Amino acid sequence: MVPQFLLDFKDFVSQPWPWYVAGPMLAFIMFVLLWFGKDFGMSANLRIMCAADGASDLNDFFKFDWPSQSWNLMVALGTVFGGYLAAHYFSVPGEQVAHVSAATVKSLQELSPQFNFQEEAVPLLPEFYSWEYLFHWRGLLIIVVGGFLVGFGARYAGGCTSGHAISGLSALELSSLIAVIGFFMGGLVMTHLIFPLIF
Amino acid sequence: MMRLSKFIIVGIILGITLYKAEAVSWFRIFEMFHFQSFHMYGIIGSAVILGVLIVQLIRRTHMRSIEGKEIVIPPKDKALWRYILGGFIFGLGWALAGVCPAPMFILMGSGYTVFVVFLLAAMTGTFFYGVVRKYLPHQIKSKKEP
């Protein structure tokens, strides 16, 4: 028998989290990592994984003391577990919904018939996130080209959303502000100019 | 063992946070780039406002980490093109796939195993950057610095 307070806790966490909970949580996570003597940057894991897979033999960019960064791989592993827990324990079955605005529902309907959702019924994640869609040009584009751009861009820019938008802006880094402006320019071009061509 | 396992706990909290706040949602990223909701801006904005206060407090109190050393936040390189161009390319991928590096791991765990392919593609992108970086513009052209 599971104690009632644990069930209450599960129900409490299972609600959709508002921004004013998630934002401070991210600041708290950044603080904890600084307190542990580290820093918050998820895309560094891609470089660590390349180095750990032997890329250092091929390229000097991957010649660094990656085992000293293995703590970051543990953060990444933790997010995998966190994703599992959130999806399987802290979610109400059948209610995996993205609570997007009415304006977004309309924009989605206008973009493509495959996004013909009703209000309050936009799924959390799109159906092209699947192995079957990987064999369709659009799924392949989204997963493979999207992944490549994220991995290449994050390293070229020296960080991603966690390293620049959260850690960098918190440290009042002008460089990070420029990078975040770059993220937005890329995102706006993709969403407004390229999406009408691919959906 | 505790030395590394505490980072797993941080990761678990990060994963649950981004999943429950719908920051892992392709549709939320789409909404953000249409400026149709405050949600994502609220997440990033409140994290940054609180983060600025935290960093100021750490710097002014010369706070020490659990390792006993004063906490130093490594400064970013002073540059322009790498942030504009790299950021732009990252933004293209972020909007297209709807995920940045943390959600990539989170979605893998939540059951979307196809993100293993996304991770391999992202590692390929990072590796490709390592190969071509010497040909890419990075710093602002300056006569003082070679």
Side-chain angles (χ1 to χ4, degrees), chain A residues 181-191, chain B residues 33 87-92 95:
Chain A
I181 292 170
F183 296 168
F184 266 82
M185 291 193 307
L188 290 173
V189 166
M190 178 56 70
T191 308
Chain B
F33 286 125
F88 185 84
I89 294 165
F90 176 82
L92 289 175

Side-chain angles (χ1 to χ4, degrees), chain A residues 38-113:
Chain A
K38 314 296 181 198
D39 51 2
F40 187 22
M42 291 301 291
S43 64
N45 284 310
L46 296 168
R47 186 177 172 214
I48 298 167
M49 288 174 174
C50 282
D53 287 342
S56 54
D57 298 340
L58 302 168
N59 190 283
D60 283 347
F61 181 62
F62 301 99
K63 276 199 181 78
F64 65 106
D65 180 22
W66 66 266
S68 74
Q69 305 288 303
S70 49
W71 64 269
N72 211 343
L73 293 175
M74 293 299 122
V75 178
L77 183 66
T79 60
V80 176
F81 294 150
Y84 178 81
L85 291 174
H88 293 88
Y89 293 100
F90 298 121
S91 289
V92 183
E95 275 185 38
Q96 302 256 29
V97 170
H99 297 85
V100 293
S101 65
T104 305
V105 172
K106 198 160 174 287
S107 297
L108 285 166
Q109 289 169 348
E110 283 164 6
L111 179 63
S112 161

Side-chain angles (χ1 to χ4, degrees), chain A residues 17 19 26-27 29 32 36 63 68 92-93 100 109 125 160 165 180-181 189-190 193 199:
Chain A
W17 291 19
W19 62 265
L26 293 179
I29 287 162
V32 170
F36 288 166
K63 276 199 181 78
S68 74
V92 183
V100 293
Q109 289 169 348
L125 296 160
C160 62
V180 172
I181 292 170
V189 166
M190 178 56 70
L193 303 180
F199 287 106

